[in-house]
Amino acid sequence: MSLLRSPEIVAFRRSLAVQRRVIGALLMREVITRFGRDNFGAMWLVFEPMLFTLGVAALWTAAAMNHGSSIPIVAFAVTGYSSVLLWRNCASRCSMAIEANLSLMYHRNVQAIDVFFTRILLEIAGATASFIILSVIFIVIDWMTFPVDLGKVLGGWLLLAWFGASLALLIGAGTAYSHVVEKLWHPAAYLLFPMSGAAFMVDWLPDTLQQVVLLLPMVHGVELLREGWFGNTVRTHYDAGYMATCCLILTWLGMHYVREAGRKLESR
Amino acid sequence: MISLENIVKEYHTRLGPRRVLDNVSFQLERGRNIGILGCNGAGKSTLIRLLSGAERPTSGRIRREMSVSWPLAFGGAFQTHLTGLDNLKFVCRVYGVDYKPLVPFVEEFTELGVYFREPVMHYSHGMLTRLAFALSIAIEFDCFLIDEAMVVGDVRFHERCHVEMFHKRKDRAFILVSHDANVIKLYCERASVLHEGRLYHFDNVDAAYDFYMDELGMRHAKRVIEV
């Protein structure tokens, strides 16, 4: 008990309360400013990724993409494209986020990290809700099967969310340092999509290419998620430990640069 | 108390770092006030940004042992899609204050009428200024930061700001920055002069006023000679 009342712990809990309050305030503000109050309002947070995923599922079905396995194309698209949106939207929304919220820093308690956390939370919530709603609809109309191992699906999803959050911190802080980061992020995001494991299974690739693709952390998350969903009907290649290590390093780098960016911030 | 110890602030330019504040130190006790006089470009706004916490000093320490406001009547943080009421709610959430008891005061002071519940993008400049001022005094701070250049409006608005700030809240501390020596003379019990990044302290406002006028005069004289 005495530990809980030590000055450091008390100060930490007070800071935590302030941060929770600020992020709560930013969440409300962000939702209204981004989606407005007209028509569906905040529901767009979920509709947007849903429309993306549905569109991609329809395209892939129409193109009758040869994916050389027994997985139905819609299930393949929903699991794959939802995963991409989860990490890519986090990072894209945090790009230039400080600049867009610079004037808020006049309120001392609003810090760069709060702006990033708010946007990351919203993106993860939107992508997750979209994934769940689409899955439920397709399971009900029998276009998708129920996941074989819900635990693995959840594990893969959480790892992808963590990857998205850590990447977002790094990209967000990077764009505050230099606009070059923002310029580079767009082509990088575009080029990473076909390599991210969303549109293929690692097992379909030749051995040498497998080694290269498995260097990308998000590939492991998608593979884990699909193993959880489709079970033994697919052969997967992943290492959750490798992905977690990558995320840990990215998180550390992200937090470090967010703090540095906060220090050199110039408001106007 | 709020205290600044050897504050240095440098900004990066293409020609290397530029020192805007050079070893600035001062203290302000609870309930007291100070005026800071400076010409355009002397570093007044930078000082306000550091005091409010919007930016960090390059070196030195700022200690706040009382709650310090954001710059009075600063409306830059308004989101155009939010209504006046939304902005009140946002500010209250950030500072952990219940917004409901404050609605009547803000509505009455801003005289926004139905526009209080309309997006800020439909506001006129005067409406924005009134809202910004009302929000910054709706939250009860121990010390207010006032950048005189931010509080612009007609005579009646100035009078109402004056009543709210200097009569109803005369027990509070404040830091007022201005280029106008008469404003400082009117409101402050002591004054310092910010000149070329350095802060010069004086025992009374008149001494600061004389120094400021001399500096202004000298610069003016120098310019005349150069021409």
Side-chain angles (χ1 to χ4, degrees), chain B residues 142-157:
Chain B
D142 298 326
C143 177
F144 286 91
L145 301 179
I146 311 170
D147 188 340
E148 196 253 339
M150 278 185 193
V151 194
V152 285
D154 58 20
V155 180
R156 184 166 157 269
F157 174 66

Side-chain angles (χ1 to χ4, degrees), chain B residues 79 82 110 164 175 181 183 188-189 204 216:
Chain B
Q79 259 294 347
L82 297 187
T110 55
E164 287 294 336
I175 299 169
V183 171
C188 303
E189 56 188 28
N204 56 64
L216 271 182

Side-chain angles (χ1 to χ4, degrees), chain A residues 237-265:
Chain A
H237 303 261
Y238 66 87
D239 180 351
Y242 171 77
M243 182 164 177
T245 310
C246 289
C247 291
L248 201 63
I249 295 169
L250 281 175
T251 307
W252 181 76
L253 283 173
M255 296 289 259
H256 173 77
Y257 284 111
V258 168
R259 190 179 60 183
E260 291 301 309
R263 277 185 188 153
K264 67 178 278 286
L265 203 120

